[in-house]
Amino acid sequence: MQCRSTPSIIAATSEAEQDELSPSQVRAGLASLRDIIAANGWPPLIWTRADGYQLGAERSALEAYERAVINEKLTAFRRFITGTVAPHAAARPGDKWVKHIVAQLNSIESTLDLIAIA
């Protein structure tokens, strides 16, 4: 059985096991698998909507996956800045912590943005 998604992994494991795995157990298992893959120097595990999970994908697929993840993280990061950090900074403009975190987060955002558009 080809596992293209979390539900298909749940279905595949429930055939072999008596109890079905929960989505959070599957996500934790995939995270652990990625750690094992990295520790052993194996080709990375990626997921695409079109092909599902892939181990040892071509360079173009790996780059597309990396760009998609960076863009996803950049969007979440920007939402964190605009939704949490910016209002905090506006409420306490002279606070040392706020100044520090704003400077650091602006630097991180800039770096992620450069990677995303490269």
Side-chain angles (χ1 to χ4, degrees):
M1 167 182 262
Q2 183 179 12
C3 294
R4 298 176 63 95
S5 63
T6 300
S8 67
I9 293 173
I10 292 170
T13 58
S14 66
E15 292 173 4
E17 309 263 335
Q18 289 182 340
D19 295 324
E20 186 176 273
L21 295 176
S22 70
S24 65
Q25 288 172 315
V26 170
R27 284 190 297 274
L30 288 169
S32 180
L33 178 59
R34 283 190 170 102
D35 291 342
I36 292 167
I37 287 169
N40 288 296
W42 298 338
L45 175 69
I46 65 170
W47 181 86
T48 65
R49 193 171 281 153
D51 300 319
Y53 289 98
Q54 302 172 61
L55 185 63
E58 296 294 322
R59 178 179 178 208
S60 61
L62 291 170
E63 287 179 9
Y65 175 76
E66 291 161 354
R67 288 178 193 278
V69 170
I70 291 294
N71 281 315
E72 176 187 333
K73 300 299 181 188
L74 182 57
T75 298
F77 194 74
R78 284 181 171 149
R79 287 180 179 152
F80 171 67
I81 290 171
T82 59
T84 303
V85 177
H88 183 194
R92 294 182 177 79
D95 186 272
K96 184 178 177 180
W97 165 254
V98 170
K99 288 180 181 180
H100 176 70
I101 194 168
V102 166
Q104 294 301 313
L105 294 178
N106 285 339
S107 174
I108 294 167
E109 180 186 18
S110 176
T111 301
L112 289 175
D113 193 42
L114 287 172
I115 293 169
I117 62 173

